[in-house]
Structures are given as C-alpha cells and as structure tokens.
Amino acid sequence: MDRLAIEMLPPNAQHILESLNTAVVIFDKALRLSSINPAAEMMFKISANQMLGEDLSRLLSDSETLAASLRNTLDSGHPFTARNVLLTLVGGDHITVDCTVTPLGYARDNYGLLVELTRIDRRLRMAREETMLGQQVANRAMLRGLAHEIKNPLGGLRGAAQLLERELKDRSQTEYTRIIIHEADRLHNLVDRMMGSNQPLKKEPFSIHRILEHIAKLIAAEFPPTINLIRDYDPSAPDIIGDSEQLTQAFLNVARNSAQALEDRGEIKFRTRIERKFTIGKTCHRLIIRTDIIDNGPGINEELIDKIFYPMVTGKAEGVGLGLSIAQDIVQNHGGLIACRNQKSHTIFTLYLPVGD
Ligand SMILES: Nc1ncnc2c1ncn2[C@@H]1O[C@H](COP(=O)(O)OP(=O)(O)OP(=O)(O)O)[C@@H](O)[C@H]1O
Ligand SMILES: [Mg+2]
C-alpha cells in the first residue's frame, strides 16, 4: 500500500483518528504525506486537501533532521520517541513537540510511518513562567528588606550632614556636606525606583490601542524617523481594566528598549491579539490580550536573556537596568506577565494582560 488516506481506513478507525486530540500524520516510504488528522492540520496550519501527497519539506521549513530520523526508522523498522523537538512551520512559526514514530508494516518491509505529535510549548512556557513569577516574588521580598536596611541609615547620614552643615564655620566646606546630601538623595531615589511604584492601581477601562498609539507618538518624538513603526492591531480586542498610566510606563519601557536596540534604523511592530483560556502562573483566564513588541535589531544578548527582568541588569554602557523590572512589576500587578524571546532576525517582547472576567 503506497498511499493511506484516512478515508481508506475502516469507518471506526477513521472516526477515532479524526477525533483524536493528538496530531497524527502518516507518511509513505518516500516521506510523502499520506494522511493527516484534523489535530495535525491545526498544528501545521494546513489543510489536508492541499497537502496530501506532498513531501515532508512542504510541511516544515527545517525538515532535514526529522527526515533523517524518519528514514532511519524506515530502514531499521524500530520505532522511536523524541522529546522537545523544535519544528519550524513553513509560515515561520516555531512549535515544540514530543514525537513518536512507528513504522507501518512487517519487519523491514515498511510501507510507511505513523507519526504522533504532542505540542508541549504551552507546558514548557507555563513551567518557565511559574519559575519566573516565583523568582520575582522572592526578589521583591529581598529588595524590600534591602531597601529598608539602606534607607534607614541613609536618613541618618543625610540628617547628620545637615546638622554638620549648620555647625560649619568655614562656609566653603559646605561643598562637602552638599555632596553627602545629594548622594544620599540619589541613592534614596534609586532604591525607590528599584522597588517600583507603591501607588495603588487606579483602575479604569481603556483600550490597549490607545496606549500603543500614545507610545508610538512618544517614540516618534524621541527617536529619528528612520525607525519605522508598524501597527498590526486586532480591532476586536476588548478594553482592559487597569491603571492606564502605569501600564503606559510599562509598555514605554519595553518599546524604548526596542528603539534603543535599533540604533537609529529599523522596524518596530506593535501587534495585538486576543487569546482565550490562557494560563498565567496558576490562573487560567477566560480572555487575555497579547501585545507583541517586535524589533528587527540585534536580539537580546543570550547571556543576559534569563536575567533581564531583574533590577540592575543591563547590557548598555549607560543603562541602569531598571526599565524591564519596573515594567514586569506593573504588568504582574495587573495579573499579567511579560516574556521575551529572540526569534531568527526578530526580538519579541510579549505582554500578556488579562481582560478581567
Ligand atoms: N529589544 C531589545 N533588544 C535587545 N536587547 C534588549 C532589548 N530589550 C532589552 N534588552 C536588553 O535587556 C537589558 C535590560 O533592559 P532594561 O530596560 O531593564 O534596562 P536598560 O535599558 O539597560 O536601562 P534602563 O531601562 O533602566 O535605562 C538591556 O540593557 C538590553 O541589554
Ligand atoms: Mg531600558
């Protein structure tokens, strides 16, 4: 049998295959697609009508490694399971799957391969995010303790310098007490900024696109016109309930980093999408708005990428390293999360915000 379409299976088997949540594809000996169930059509974002009989390379743009493993299985007749396999779809999207390949046939006389794929990106993402949220909470607790320990003696230092200033006979020496007072104030402000805003959230409904348009104006005013701003908005995105001022700050911190990374030339895209039944930390939200801020700059330094949401982590000579930690704090106070990744020639910061049920 060279070609095995779902329609050729007994009706029972056909029905089972079509009802499976697991993506199942069947390839013939030449690694052409013989059969694909609806779950796999969704995963690969293709329709069976267009793709049956096509080569594996038409499903994936980086099919060589998988093709080599599939050929091995055809030759050896031994099934295999691979975990955490990163696949690139022809449209450019990346997916991570666990993959089990079973030869169809007898001994070495195989007529095809049955490939089962389970998508695990969400599971991986959730595990990563849970770790990140946990670390962020631990960090904040540590910072609060540290801030307390720094601000108390600083207050003492500043007060003592003021007293000393009053006692000074030689007025020219006030230059030194001024320096103490100024530096104490600077440190005090830095600690406050590290702690993020302690203002209660002023909640009101607002459109995410209003915020993005405001930020687009600020970026256009601050950076040269050779930085091109592109909008890709989902007009059906509902209003968010939150503190629009604080969230503007969070979005601006992210967008400003993108503009800085571009060094005067390049593209920033604001993309909004809605996602249903989306889990952030331990809460499953009915509806969230996902905003991607995408630039085509050099990408995030791989050595920094796991730490950039921590305060005082910077890759810039003049950077303080507070922008992203403040942004993450604000978004998390709204029940959301910021994630980031380098993807080919793009850097993507994604801000997830629950709409509120
Ligand atoms: N779009 C981006 N492309 C490449 N690297 C980025 C991008 N956004 C952030 N980064 C990296 O993350 C680091 C941390 O960013 P963050 O905004 O927290 O601090 P900063 O920009 O260095 O300083 P600050 O925002 O306090 O002025 C940056 O220094 C940079 O190395
Ligand atoms: Mg910054």
Side-chain angles (χ1 to χ4, degrees):
M1 178 160 47
D2 262 331
R3 194 170 156 128
L4 179 88
I6 290 187
E7 297 74 49
M8 293 164 66
L9 295 170
N12 259 354
Q14 215 181 95
H15 181 71
I16 291 169
L17 205 54
E18 284 183 349
S19 316
L20 282 178
N21 278 323
T22 308
V24 177
V25 279
I26 299 173
F27 292 104
D28 67 13
K29 273 203 294 207
L31 298 189
R32 283 185 306 250
L33 188 67
S34 300
S35 181
I36 180 164
N37 75 344
E41 285 180 88
M42 267 178 46
M43 181 183 286
F44 287 107
K45 297 187 180 152
I46 56 163
S47 101
N49 291 342
Q50 302 163 341
M51 297 309 267
L52 283 180
E54 295 287 349
D55 192 75
L56 171 66
S57 60
R58 295 260 293 140
L59 281 182
L60 301 171
S61 69
D62 60 350
S63 59
E64 296 81 16
T65 322
L66 184 64
S69 308
L70 294 184
R71 267 186 222 105
N72 267 344
T73 311
L74 273 173
D75 292 343
S76 67
H78 299 310
F80 82 88
T81 297
R83 304 208 178 276
N84 268 349
V85 184
L86 182 70
L87 302 175
T88 311
L89 306 184
V90 275
D93 286 347
H94 298 278
I95 58 173
T96 311
V97 294
D98 284 348
C99 161
T100 302
V101 182
T102 314
L104 297 170
Y106 304 98
R108 291 187 176 202
D109 188 18
N110 296 310
Y111 57 78
L113 294 171
L114 177 93
V115 182
E116 295 161 73
L117 301 151
T118 314
R119 213 169 152 173
I120 57 165
D121 331 45
R122 278 208 157 182
R123 219 163 57 219
L124 287 178
R125 178 185 65 76
M126 277 156 60
R128 235 187 352 249
E129 284 173 8
E130 224 169 274
T131 314
M132 192 158 102
L133 283 167
Q135 279 171 348
Q136 205 83 11
V137 170
N139 264 346
R140 257 202 297 269
M142 190 197 74
L143 272 178
R144 251 196 306 275
L146 200 63
H148 182 76
E149 289 304 306
I150 292 176
K151 277 164 81 172
N152 274 351
L154 264 188
L157 265 177
R158 192 184 196 285
Q162 276 176 321
L163 286 176
L164 187 63
E165 194 171 291
R166 273 187 236 143
E167 300 295 318
L168 285 176
K169 306 272 178 303
D170 178 356
R171 296 318 291 168
S172 71
Q173 287 179 335
T174 56
E175 186 191 334
Y176 302 116
T177 48
R178 289 279 111 198
I179 291 176
I180 300 174
I181 293 168
H182 179 261
E183 290 301 297
D185 287 345
R186 202 169 61 87
L187 207 52
H188 195 281
N189 283 341
L190 179 69
V191 172
D192 277 348
R193 280 201 293 144
M194 268 169 71
M195 291 300 301
S197 165
N198 54 5
Q199 298 295 316
L201 297 180
K202 278 187 243 131
K203 290 200 170 183
E204 49 171 354
F206 63 90
S207 143
I208 198 87
H209 300 137
R210 203 190 75 213
I211 286 197
L212 290 173
E213 282 308 295
H214 181 59
I215 285 162
K217 275 200 207 108
L218 295 176
I219 295 284
E222 191 179 333
F223 294 90
T226 39
I227 290 185
N228 201 9
L229 277 168
I230 300 169
R231 281 95 161 160
D232 175 3
Y233 293 159
D234 180 344
S236 68
D239 278 2
I240 282 182
I241 297 171
D243 189 319
S244 66
E245 230 171 81
Q246 289 198 22
L247 282 171
T248 302
Q249 185 63 54
F251 279 74
L252 181 62
N253 288 0
V254 175
R256 192 178 267 143
N257 279 343
S258 295
Q260 287 166 344
L262 290 176
E263 291 185 352
D264 292 355
R265 193 164 296 276
E267 207 174 86
I268 302 177
K269 186 191 269 187
F270 292 164
R271 179 169 67 193
T272 56
R273 294 289 182 268
I274 51 177
E275 305 250 4
R276 287 169 210 284
K277 291 219 176 100
F278 195 91
T279 304
I280 299 174
K282 288 194 164 58
T283 315
C284 180
H285 298 277
R286 192 177 56 84
L287 200 65
I288 64 136
I289 296 186
R290 192 189 91 211
T291 309
D292 298 316
I293 298 184
I294 307 168
D295 68 72
N296 61 349
I300 307 158
N301 181 333
E302 287 293 340
E303 283 173 15
L304 288 185
I305 200 161
D306 292 329
K307 313 183 197 93
I308 54 171
F309 291 104
Y310 293 152
M312 316 303 279
V313 173
T314 180
K316 300 170 193 166
E318 305 287 308
V320 186
L322 283 182
L324 286 179
S325 92
I326 291 171
Q328 184 70 278
D329 251 13
I330 295 172
V331 171
Q332 284 186 10
N333 285 343
H334 285 81
L337 185 83
I338 311 180
C340 67
R341 63 185 196 278
N342 287 326
Q343 186 177 318
K344 286 198 170 160
S345 52
H346 291 99
T347 314
I348 308 180
F349 278 79
T350 303
L351 296 92
Y352 301 100
L353 280 168
V355 166
D357 298 294

